Amino acid sequence: MSEAPMKLVVVGAAGRMGQTLIRTIAAMDGVMLHAAVERSGSPFVGKDAGEIAGLGPTGVIIGDDPLAAFLHGEGVLDFTSPAATVNFAGLAAQARIVHVVGTTGCSVEEEEKIKAAGRHARVVKSGNMSLGVNLLGVLTEQAARALPGNDWDIEILEMHHKHKVDAPSGTALLLGEAAARGRGIDLANHSVRSRDGHTGARPKGTIGFATLRGGSVIGEHSVLIAGEGEIVTLSHSAGDRSIFARGAISAALWARDKKPGFYSMLDVLGLSQ
Ligand code: NAD
């Protein structure tokens, strides 16, 4: 007998990713929308989640009580804000359900709190849930290892839509971490996050970031590895938010029978080395 569909809760249900998740759950086998949650005071609370997502009525009404929504669910899909995600991490652990976190822009302290929830819960967190970007991370690590920092400079360039609130993007940082792993260095101590004015020559061995914002761009990322007389460019272009939604739902299904822990998309996709 096949397993019953996994009951998923979408938090931030009226957001760009929330709506995409609701549409993608409806299109995928093995999952169902159990509940939808928005922040208290949101004009979308009390509305049908399917109607907000452009699907027509689904009978799931958007609420503002996450714990009530989590109690009979099996997994929560969370693309909201760092403060909200820290709160959801505690509640998901309490309700013993899978927590898939796509939220970016978390501080070191917020990251620690979300990780701590992984002692009791199954948490999957990634700055990018797409297969393509996670493969790009693996390739970036290999390239950074093969092209030594004395002669090759790594720069990470990203562009997103004008509404994005954090920079560099979670994906740019994921790629920076991959490059730093390849070089055997710590990203925090080797990254140059912005440049302005008389900056002096580029310090050897650093990893630079450049951020562009505008229009409706879903996500463009390039890793440029520049040597004398040649440049290697690895890049990814997101054409549709459903790549992140499918990744997040696959992560929830993957984590369904796992032990408590803090996992990444590399674990889900079998790309961890
Ligand atoms: P958005 O602003 O369109 O949506 C966020 C939603 O969360 C809003 O509707 C907001 O009201 C809701 N929200 C905020 N606080 C809440 C709370 N306490 N309870 C319930 N709902 C709450 O943003 P978006 O473009 O959908 O992106 C959301 C996050 O996901 C960002 O951090 C973004 O960078 C990230 N993101 C990650 C990936 C990935 O693959 N990891 C992909 C795309 C976006």
Side-chain angles (χ1 to χ4, degrees), residues 11-19 37-40 42 44 63-64 66 78-85 87-88 101-105 125-130 160-161 163-166 169-171 218 241 243-245:
V11 289
R16 277 174 289 267
M17 276 307 300
Q19 293 183 39
V37 177
E38 257 297 335
R39 61 184 163 74
S40 302
S42 159
F44 298 103
D64 62 0
D78 178 358
F79 291 68
T80 57
S81 69
T85 293
N87 181 40
F88 294 144
V101 181
T103 306
T104 62
K125 183 172 186 298
S126 176
N128 193 301
M129 299 279 172
S130 83
H160 281 84
H161 55 88
H163 304 289
K164 186 161 177 65
V165 294
D166 54 313
S169 69
T171 305
I218 293 176
R241 285 191 176 81
I243 61 173
F244 312 126

Side-chain angles (χ1 to χ4, degrees), residues 116-147:
R119 288 202 284 267
H120 308 287
R122 293 148 289 161
V123 182
V124 184
K125 183 172 186 298
S126 176
N128 193 301
M129 299 279 172
S130 83
L131 172 58
V133 160
N134 283 281
L135 178 63
L136 185 67
V138 173
L139 298 175
T140 297
E141 182 175 340
Q142 286 174 358
R145 187 174 293 121
L147 303 171

